[in-house]
Amino acid sequence: MNSIRNMKTTKLIVHQKGFSDAELLLNPKDFSDIQLGDVVEIWHPDEEYRLLLQVSELKEDLNKDNISVESGIAQTFQLKVYQPICLNVVNPKDVTLDLVELIIKDQYLGRSDMWRFKTFLEGKAVYLTKKLEHTNIRATVNELWTKGEKVSCGVISKDTRAVFRSPTAVMNIFIQMSSEMWEFDSFGDLYFEKAICGFLADLFAKWKEQNCCHDVTIVMFSRTYYEAKSIDEFPASIRECIQKDYKGRFYEDFYRIVVQNERYEDWQSTMIALKKLFIKYENRVLHFHDGCGERIPPAYNSMAAQGNFLETMNMSLNVFEKYYLDRNFDRTGKVAIVITPGAGVFEVDRELTTLTKQRTIDSGAGADLVCMGEQPLHAVPLFKFHSRNAVTSLDVGDDYNIPHWINHSFYTSKSQVKTSLTSTFVPRIKVASRRGYRPAADQRECIMKNEYHRADNGFPFSIDYDDYDAHVFKLPSSRTNVKKRGQVRLSTSVVTKQFGHPLPQTLAEARQLHQPRKRHVSDECIGLLVGSKESSKTSSAISIPMSRVKSDELMSNSVGADYKIIEEKSTLSKSTESSDSGEDIPQEPFRVGSAPLGQNMRFTGKAVKQNRALINPFAPTRMRVRKTFNRRRWVHAFPVDTAGTAMQPRFHQTYTKSLLDGESIHPQAPLADPSTGEVEAANIAVQLRKKKSSLKRDADLETKSLSSESEDDPQQHISTTTGLRYSDSQSSFNSHSTALTNREAIGPSHSNITSSVSQASDASYSLLWGVTGEQELCPIIAIDVDWKSMSLPAILPTTTDYFPENRNLMNDYVVADYQLLPDDVNMDLSFGQASRKPMKAQEVFNELFYQRLAQGFQLICGANTLSPRGQPDISTQKYKSKTGLMRAKSTPQTTYWLSIGRIFHRLNLIGRTITVTRYRPRHPHAQISRMYPYRFQMPDSETYDSSETHFDNEQLENYNWNYLDNYICTMGQGDYALVQSLKFWRSRFFLMPSINPATKRIIEGDERCDIYEEKTITEQEQIMCGFLRFMETLNRIRRPASTIKTRSRDENIPPEEVFKLSTTSPSIEIIEALLDQSDGLSFLPLQLGLPNNNFISAEAIRWVRQEVGGVNSINQAIDLLQRLVDEKFIRHISNKADVKFMNGFFLYYILPLTKGDKNTGLTYTDVSGFLNDWCEVLVDTNEDQTLNDLPEFLLPKLPSKQSLNLPSFGSHNTDTNSDYGAYRNIYNFSNIDLDPSSKSGRQEWGTLQYHTWFNPLCPFEIQVHWLVATGPILGDFVSSWGRKAGMFGMHLLPVPVDPFMLPDTPGSDPLRGPVFVSLNIGSLKEDGNDIFPEFDWASRDERLQLLQEAILKRFGFLLNSPRNHWPYGDENRQDQYVHMSGGMFVICMQRKARRRLRTDSFCSVNSGSSPDKASSDLDKVGFLWSWNFLLTKKWRTSNTGDEHFQDKVLADFRSFCSNHENRLKDFWEESCQKVSFIQI
C-alpha cells in the first residue's frame, strides 16, 4: 500500500454502538489532514496485519492522541486496547477490490436491487463479516478478492464485481433412483447410502454450520422400462403415461415427492424417511400396475445414463420460470440439484438438450449435478445424443456434447478418502464383476469365441484407435475431392498394399489375422517416452483405411458423409462354436465410439457435406468454440487470478500415497513406471503440437466463417487448437499438503495443473469444457463437491463482458429503435394524489435500465459510453442524425449496453430524449414444445397419480419492451396498464378472522376436528368492524383510536318516545346531528385527497340505526342516507352526483351548508381517477339471513341465490385490464405507493387488486402487483399490513395464486398437485337406493354439493367466494374453500366436474349421464385437498397452527369421509332427524 500522507502512532481505545455508530472515531485536532470519507489503515507496530476503515465521524471531545474503534470490530480483528497503534491514510486505488461476496438472508432481492446496493457501496471500505444496510437491504461481507488472493479488507470501486449469495434460497433436490442405487461402488459403499448418509448428510451439516434455511423440495425419480414390443401389450387403462424411446423401448417415468417446500433446522427425520422409501421404492415402481387385473409386461429399472435427467431438469425449470408468481419476501435464489449414482454421462435427445440448455441459461437458475460414481478420465458431464438412424447408417462416431451450463461435482466418501491415504492406486472406473472361474485355456477359447460379438472389437483386424481419433475429431479439409456417384468398393490389391494381406473373406481367416487391441500414444509422443523400452518402436496396428484411401467415400458421418448399407453377408449363427467352414463376419450395428468401418461391406457414395467434427470427450481442450453470451453469463461470479482468468478452487490435483509420503516427481527425473513416462511424453508432445498448429489455427480463423452462435450447438462451428497447456512446473506436486480430501486446491500460489488460456490466443474463443471455458481438462484433475454453490448459491451477476463482433451485428441482427420523451408524455396525464409526481427523463432512463436488469438482462462492462470494442453504432439513420446534432451542442449523454441471450439493448439518454435500440437475431430460435406425461406421488398421497406437463422455450425477442417502457414513463396512467405478458411480480393474500376457539382446542389436544361452528351475527359485526379499520390502513388513513366512536346499539337505544330524530325529521336536522362534535358521526381526519367532513358509509349506517327512531335494519338506514344524497347534502368523494349510498367502506362527505364555505382537498374529474387512488369495498353482514341449524341439502326447497348489487360505476379500467382474468368484474384495481417513507430515493408504485365485496364468512382477497419496487422495502411494507390486521382481530396470510395446480392450468407446477380424499357415499345409501330418493333428480347435483359444504363447515372451511356475489356467475366454476387457519384448501369434486385431475382415484363423469350411471359414479365423489406452501414460520401464529395441526386435520378429515366409526353416517342421520323434527 502506497501511503499518501505521513504515518502517525497513537493509542487505541474502543467504544460501543450506543455511543456512536461510526466504526472509527478521530479527533480532528490530532488529525487535521484527515477528512470525512478518507480510508485509513491501522495496525499494531509489532504485527504485520492491517485493517482498513473509513472515517465517517470526527469527534472533537475525544481524548488527545487516541483513536476509538467500535468494540465489535476490535474483538473480531483482535485489536489490543490501550496499546500503541499506527494509522496511515491510503489511496483507495491501491486497496481496490476485484470482487466482493455478500450474504443476504431472509430477504427478497431483485437484480435491480442488487445493482443499486452495489452502487451505494462504491467508494466504501469493507472488511470480512461487516454488516451493511441500505434501503432495508441487509448484507454481510463473506469474501473479498484482489489479484487472485483472498483479503480481509479493501475498498469497493466502480469496477469491483459484487456477487450476492443467499442462505435462504429455493432448493429442488432430485435423487435419481436408477439401478445403480442398489449396487456397491469399488470401495464397498452402497450408492444409495453414499448419496443419503454421505452427501446429503454432509450437505445438511454444512447448512447447519452456515446457518442456512433453504426452502427445500426433495424428489426421488426414475425411469422404468418394459419388455414389450408393442403398445398393445399394455392394458388401455395404463397407457396414458407409457412412452416409446428412440430404440423402440417402452418406458414410464416416476417421481416420488418426499418433502415439499419445507424449511427444517434438523433434517434427521427426512433422512429416515428417505431410507424407508428406498426399501420399497424399486418394488413399488416395477410392480405399480400389478393390481390392475391384467397382464403387464415385465419391468426393469433403467441405468443412470438412460434415465430421465433432462426431463427432471425441465420440471424444475417450469417452476423457476414462474418466479414472478407467488413472490416470497424472504427467499432469494433458485437452485436445482440432481444426485445421480452414475458418473455424469447421459444419453439424451438433441432437441430436448437445446431446450433445457436455453431455459436454464435464460432463467438464471443454478443447476448442480452431483455424481456418486468415480470421476472418469474423460470430460464430464457428458451428453451422448440419440442416433435414430443407427441401424440404417454407418455413423461410427458417437455424437457427444459437453454441457457447460451444468455445475458438476463428484462426491468423495469417507471410504474413498481412507483408501487414498493407505493405497498407491485409486480406481477411476468401476471394474466389471467377475463372472466365475475358468481354466486359462478355457478363458482364452471363450474370449476368442466372444471377441467378435463385442461392439468395439467386432472387426477382423486390429486398429490404431489413436490414429483414427486424430482424423475423426478433425474438421474435413475444404479441398477434399468428393466422388458424388457410383458405388465404392475396396479392391483387394489396395487392401493388400496397405495392410500386407488381402481382405479376409471368412471368420476363420479373420481370426488368423486378428491381433489383440493395444493402446498407443499419439504420433507426437513416439520416441519421447522416458525410461520406456519400447520408445523406439512404432505401432504394429493397421491404420484405418479411411485415412489413406484416395477418395473420401469411406468417411463416416462424423466428418460429413452419410452412407447406407446396401449389401451385407448373411448373419452369423447364434452358435458360439468356432467353425472353419467359411462362416461369414457377423452383422453388427457398428456405432461404437471411435470404432472403424468394416472392410467387408459395400456402400453407396453420397456427396460429402462439410459437416462438423465430433467432440472427443478425452481431449476436449483440442476444440475451441467462439465465446457467446451463454458461456459468459456466470463468469463474473468467480474471482480472477492475476492473468484475469476465472478461478474455481474446487478443482483439485489428485495424489497417490507415494506423493503424500514426500516423494516428488520432476519432469527431468528418470521414471521407472512406463505409465508415468507416457505422461511425460504427452507433456512434451503438447509443446510440439502447440508449435505445429499455431500458424494453422491463425489461418483457419481467417478463412472459416464461424458464427457467434456456435454455442447453441457446440459441434457446429469449432476450430482445432493446441492441446493441454502446462506450466514449466506442471509435474511438480506439493508434498506438504495435509488436506483431508487428499487433494490440493489449485490457486494462484500453487502449480497450475490446468493453466489458463494463453494470452496470445484469441480472446474471442473459449475451451469446450468447463463453466467458464477458461479451465483446461487434465486426467489428474479431480473435481470436488462445490459445497458453496449448494449451501450459499450465487445470484445471477448483473454484469457480463461479452459483446458480438461488428460483422455479426450487421449480418445476424435486426435493428429497431424508438424514442421516449417523458416530459412531453406526462404533460397531459393526471397523477391523482399530489404525492405522486411524474418522473423526469433521468428518472425514467434509470428505471428502464433497472427493469431490464430485473428481467434477466446483464450490463456489458466497458461498453457504457461507446459501442463495445470501438465499433460504430449501427442503429437507424434517423437516430444517427439526431444524435449528431445533439453532440454538436455538447449535450450530456449516458449510454447502457445490456444483453440476454442473443438479444442486445442500447439505452441512450441525450438531454430529455431517451432512445432505446434493440438488436434482435435475424434467425431466432424455433419454438419448441414438448408434452411430457409422467406419474408422481405427493407426500400425503396414497398412490402415484398420472399427470402431464409441457416444456416450452420462451422466445425472449417477443417481449413487448415498447409497452413496458411506456408503462414506466407514464407510471401506469393513461393507456398503459399492467398486462400478463409483462410478467409483473405478484403476491396474493387472504384477510380472515384470527379468533377461532375451535382451532385453539385442536392445538391443545382435542382429538376431533369437526368442531367448528358458524359465526353468530354479533361475531360477524365485530369482524366487520375490524375489517373497516384494516381498510383505513390499506388506504393510508391515519385516524387515532380515540376519535373512533363505537357504541353498542343496546346501550344507546332510549325509549321509543325519546328519539330526537326520526325518519320523518327534516334532512337539515339529520345533517346537523351528524356534524355534532359530541354525539355526531366520527369523521376521518383531513388529509391529502380527502375533503372536510368525510366519513365511512358503514359507520354512518351504524350511527343512523343508533340515533334515528324507526330505523331497525341496514336497508332502512341506507334508504334514509340515500335521501340525503338525493337532496345534495351528501356526495361521494369522486364528486359524481349519481353514485348511490352503499354499505361498506365507501367514502362520502357532507357538502358545505352555506355557499361561502369552501371544501378543501383534491377533486376528481372522473371516477377512474378516484379509483386509482382509493380502495372501496361493499360489505355484506348477512343480517337478513336467518341462522339455523337445518341441513340445506335435505330441505324440500333449496335456498335461492341472489346477486349483490355492485357499485353503479362498475369496475376499474375494464378495457385496459382485460388480461387480469375472466372475473375482473369481481375485482377492483387501484394504484398503491409501495415506498411511502421514500427510503429508496425513487418513486415506487404498484397495483392493488382486491375484492369488491367483503363477507364476514368468507376471506377477503388482496393481490399486490408490481414492477417498480425494492424487495426488502416491499416486504416490510406488506408485513406492516399483517401487524395491523392482528391489532384488529384479523390475520393477513399469503396464499398461492393457484392453490391446486391442476394439469390443465397453464404454467402449473408439475411437481405439485392436490390430494384426493374420497367421500364414502355408499355408506349413506339404504337398501341400495339412491342417496336422495325422495327429491327431484335435477336437484341431486346441487344437494350433493350442499352436503359436501356442510361437511367442510364442520371442519372449519370457508367458501372462497360466495356464489351470490357473482352477478355474472360461471356455471362450470368450481368453488374453492380455505380453512380458517389459512393453511389448507379444498375443492368439492362430484360428477359435474369436467376438469382433468391429477389422480387415478377419481374419474370425471359427463353431466349428461343416465341416472343409473350417475348413481354408480356417486361413489367417486370426494374432495381435492391442497396445502398452503406459502404459510411459512414468518406468518404463523397461534391461530394458524403448525404442520402437526395441519396433518391432524387431514387425518381426521379422511377418517370422517371414510365413515370410520360410522362418523359420516351418524352425521347423515342427525341431519335427517333435524329435518323430520321441523316437518313435524
Side-chain angles (χ1 to χ4, degrees), residues 1098-1110:
E1099 294 182 354
I1101 292 174
R1102 187 186 305 117
W1103 183 90
V1104 169
R1105 295 185 65 186
Q1106 295 172 352
E1107 303 293 340
V1108 179

Side-chain angles (χ1 to χ4, degrees), residues 58 326 716 814 1350:
L58 297 175
D326 299 328
Q716 288 182 2
V814 177

Side-chain angles (χ1 to χ4, degrees), residues 1180-1367:
D1180 183 9
T1181 59
N1182 303 313
E1183 186 182 62
D1184 298 333
Q1185 300 179 12
T1186 58
L1187 295 178
N1188 56 63
D1189 201 21
L1190 295 179
E1192 295 180 341
F1193 55 88
L1194 291 177
L1195 293 179
K1197 184 178 180 181
L1198 295 176
S1200 61
K1201 302 174 183 179
Q1202 299 177 353
S1203 297
L1204 189 69
N1205 292 327
L1206 291 177
S1208 59
F1209 42 79
S1211 60
H1212 165 53
N1213 286 344
T1214 300
D1215 296 334
T1216 59
N1217 287 277
S1218 58
D1219 288 324
Y1220 276 102
Y1223 308 131
R1224 60 184 182 273
N1225 54 332
I1226 299 303
Y1227 296 100
N1228 265 346
F1229 302 88
S1230 65
N1231 294 327
I1232 182 171
D1233 186 0
L1234 299 179
D1235 185 17
S1237 302
S1238 301
K1239 296 180 180 180
S1240 65
R1242 61 169 186 160
Q1243 295 195 62
E1244 299 185 353
W1245 73 93
T1247 300
L1248 195 68
Q1249 174 182 329
Y1250 57 94
H1251 274 157
T1252 57
W1253 48 262
F1254 171 73
N1255 190 306
L1257 300 180
C1258 299
F1260 180 75
E1261 179 181 344
I1262 300 173
Q1263 288 193 39
V1264 182
H1265 304 162
W1266 74 92
L1267 279 171
V1268 185
T1270 302
I1273 294 178
L1274 177 58
D1276 293 344
F1277 181 65
V1278 173
S1279 297
S1280 67
W1281 287 354
R1283 292 190 296 268
K1284 288 287 186 179
M1287 298 170 57
F1288 308 143
M1290 314 285 285
H1291 57 185
L1292 185 72
L1293 303 174
V1295 296
V1297 174
D1298 182 7
F1300 294 94
M1301 298 292 178
L1302 299 177
D1304 59 351
T1305 304
S1308 62
D1309 188 343
L1311 294 176
R1312 186 180 301 280
V1315 178
F1316 181 72
V1317 180
S1318 178
L1319 184 62
N1320 189 2
I1321 299 295
S1323 63
L1324 307 182
K1325 300 179 181 179
E1326 296 182 0
D1327 301 330
N1329 295 328
D1330 188 69
I1331 186 174
F1332 300 111
E1334 66 275 17
F1335 299 109
D1336 182 37
W1337 174 261
S1339 66
R1340 293 182 183 182
D1341 289 341
E1342 190 172 352
R1343 293 182 184 277
L1344 183 59
Q1345 175 78 12
L1346 293 174
L1347 169 62
Q1348 293 174 289
E1349 287 185 8
I1351 296 174
L1352 291 174
K1353 287 181 180 179
R1354 291 174 65 98
F1355 281 87
F1357 284 88
L1358 304 175
L1359 184 61
N1360 185 13
S1361 52
R1363 300 181 192 89
N1364 61 338
H1365 285 195
W1366 295 79

Side-chain angles (χ1 to χ4, degrees), residues 1020-1074:
Q1020 293 184 38
E1021 290 181 354
Q1022 294 176 353
I1023 294 173
M1024 187 191 71
C1025 292
F1027 170 76
L1028 295 177
R1029 293 298 312 277
F1030 178 81
M1031 288 303 300
E1032 294 180 20
T1033 300
L1034 210 61
N1035 284 279
R1036 306 170 301 281
I1037 296 176
R1038 300 178 180 178
R1039 179 164 54 158
S1042 58
T1043 62
I1044 302 176
K1045 302 175 182 178
T1046 56
R1047 294 181 296 177
S1048 172
R1049 178 174 173 81
D1050 297 335
E1051 297 175 355
N1052 293 276
I1053 296 181
E1056 288 79 357
E1057 312 82 35
V1058 189
F1059 271 114
K1060 296 181 180 179
L1061 300 173
S1062 66
T1063 56
T1064 58
S1065 299
S1067 298
I1068 187 64
E1069 294 183 4
I1070 299 177
I1071 293 297
E1072 291 176 350
L1074 286 170

Side-chain angles (χ1 to χ4, degrees), residues 228 248 303 317 345 403 427 464 508 550 580 597 657 865 904 989 1008 1064 1113-1114 1188 1261 1427 1429:
M303 300 185 68
L317 290 170
V345 181
D464 184 350
K550 181 178 180 180
D580 295 333
L597 293 173
K657 182 177 182 298
T865 56
F904 298 87
F989 302 90
R1008 301 280 290 269
T1064 58
S1113 66
I1114 293 179
N1188 56 63
E1261 179 181 344
W1427 304 108
F1429 62 91

